[in-house]
């Protein structure tokens, strides 16, 4: 009577099926079902009311403000993320571990707390509030405060995507380029940037998605001025609190659709450049 032995690295079929079922069920329950309900509630009255809610003046103002804040915050965080990753991965200096800890700080600090910090700094009772008011400079309850709050909560994404990648790649190619006479800028454009472009792209996509969906920090510094300082997440809350459920779910569906577009773009790039991605991972 022969007995079948499994390889040490081969799991039984029932365990694979169980893990797959648990994973699929959790994703369906926690992610897919709420997303489907958002679109269902947005279209419960038909496409017309949902479209009217999205194209209403305040909704369009919220959309423009969200896109503008993301358009400012994402490039700033991209520059910061590249600089921080370059410093951490390519140089040794005192306080490197502390710098990495500071980069991770927004992951552990509540966005509401970060918003309150900006109120403490720039509010009328804060450190710079009286001086700003005397010079007619508005930070809180205006675009600059919204951008600052968005930058704070999103700045780790690009850096944390690039740091492990650049550490894994090492310094050999940059040192070789410097030996051949390349300047620092030429080394970055021709050596470093091609090696990190996919990680950089993923970091930018994640940063953009987080910037569009930020609620807590922006809620504290925006003032909730309808049509002026309400971003899309804040506008969803306002409509829901006013019992405009179709409008709230319609704007929420638009926000979810923007996130899905970001995910689709990432998936398309992975499919379109699969061979190049595989080559870079082997490298």
């Amino acid at each position: 009577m022969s007995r079948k032995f499994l390889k040490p690295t081969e799991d039984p079929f029932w365990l694979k099926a169980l893990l797959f079922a648990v994973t699929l069920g959790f994703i369906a329950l926690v992610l897919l079902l709420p997303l489907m309900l958002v679109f269902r509630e947005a279209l419960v009255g038909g496409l017309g009311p949902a479209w009217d809610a999205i194209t209403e003046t305040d909704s369009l103002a919220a959309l423009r403000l969200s896109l503008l804040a993301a358009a400012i915050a994402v490039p700033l965080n991209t520059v910061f993320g590249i600089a921080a990753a370059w410093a951490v991965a390519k140089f040794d200096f005192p306080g490197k571990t502390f710098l990495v800890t500071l980069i991770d700080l927004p992951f552990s600090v509540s966005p509401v707390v970060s918003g309150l910090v900006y109120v403490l700094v720039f509010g009328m009772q804060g450190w710079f509030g009286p001086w700003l008011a005397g010079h007619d400079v508005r930070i809180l309850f205006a675009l600059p405060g919204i951008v600052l709050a968005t930058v704070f909560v999103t700045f780790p994404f690009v850096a944390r995507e690039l740091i492990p990648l650049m550490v894994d790649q090492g310094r050999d190619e940059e040192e070789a380029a410097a030996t051949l006479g390349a300047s620092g800028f030429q080394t970055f454009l021709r050596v470093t940037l091609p090696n990190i472009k996919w990680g950089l792209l993923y970091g930018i996509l994640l940063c953009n998605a987080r910037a569009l969906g930020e609620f807590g920090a922006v809620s504290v510094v925006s003032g909730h001025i309808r049509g002026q300082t309400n971003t899309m997440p804040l506008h969803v809350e306002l409509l829901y609190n006013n019992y405009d459920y179709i409008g709230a779910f319609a704007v929420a569906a638009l926000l979810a659709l923007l996130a899905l577009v970001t995910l689709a773009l990432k998936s398309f790039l992975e499919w379109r450049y699969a061979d190049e991605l595989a080559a870079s991972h082997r490298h």
Side-chain angles (χ1 to χ4, degrees), residues 218-239:
V218 172
S219 177
V220 175
V221 303
S222 70
H224 293 264
I225 304 174
R226 186 166 184 165
Q228 297 183 35
T229 62
N230 263 359
T231 58
M232 291 180 68
L234 301 183
H235 192 56
V236 171
E237 181 195 36
L238 176 66
L239 293 174

Side-chain angles (χ1 to χ4, degrees), residues 5-186:
F5 291 93
L6 295 176
K7 297 179 180 179
T9 57
E10 183 179 351
D11 295 318
F13 174 79
W14 67 265
L15 180 59
K16 297 177 183 178
L18 177 62
L19 293 176
F20 178 78
V22 170
T23 302
L24 187 60
F26 187 83
I27 291 175
L29 181 63
V30 177
L31 297 179
L32 296 182
L33 181 60
L35 190 62
M36 292 172 59
L37 290 176
V38 167
F39 285 98
R40 176 184 175 275
E41 292 298 321
L43 298 174
V44 69
L47 186 59
W51 178 255
D52 291 340
I54 292 174
T55 56
E56 188 259 337
T57 303
D58 291 340
S59 298
L60 291 177
L63 174 60
R64 286 193 295 267
L65 182 59
S66 293
L67 294 176
L68 179 59
I72 298 174
V74 172
L76 290 176
N77 284 329
T78 299
V79 174
F80 166 80
I82 294 173
W86 184 295
V88 170
K90 306 299 181 181
F91 302 103
D92 294 318
F93 54 89
K96 178 192 286 191
T97 303
F98 182 64
L99 175 61
V100 175
T101 302
L102 289 179
I103 292 173
D104 291 336
L105 188 62
F107 286 142
S108 57
V109 174
S110 169
V112 175
V113 174
S114 67
L116 290 175
V117 169
Y118 286 119
V119 172
L120 176 64
V121 174
F122 300 114
M124 286 301 299
Q125 308 300 322
W127 298 346
F128 303 113
W131 184 90
L132 293 171
H135 291 78
D136 196 26
V137 177
R138 296 184 60 189
I139 302 295
L140 297 181
F141 312 143
L143 177 63
I146 294 173
V147 171
L148 284 174
T150 304
V151 167
F152 179 86
V153 299
T154 58
F155 84 80
F157 286 94
V158 175
R160 292 307 302 172
E161 188 72 27
L162 293 181
I163 288 174
L165 178 61
M166 296 179 73
V167 169
D168 183 61
Q169 290 174 350
R171 313 175 187 176
D172 295 343
E173 294 188 16
E174 283 83 0
E175 291 174 353
T179 302
L180 295 175
S183 65
F185 187 67
Q186 290 174 326

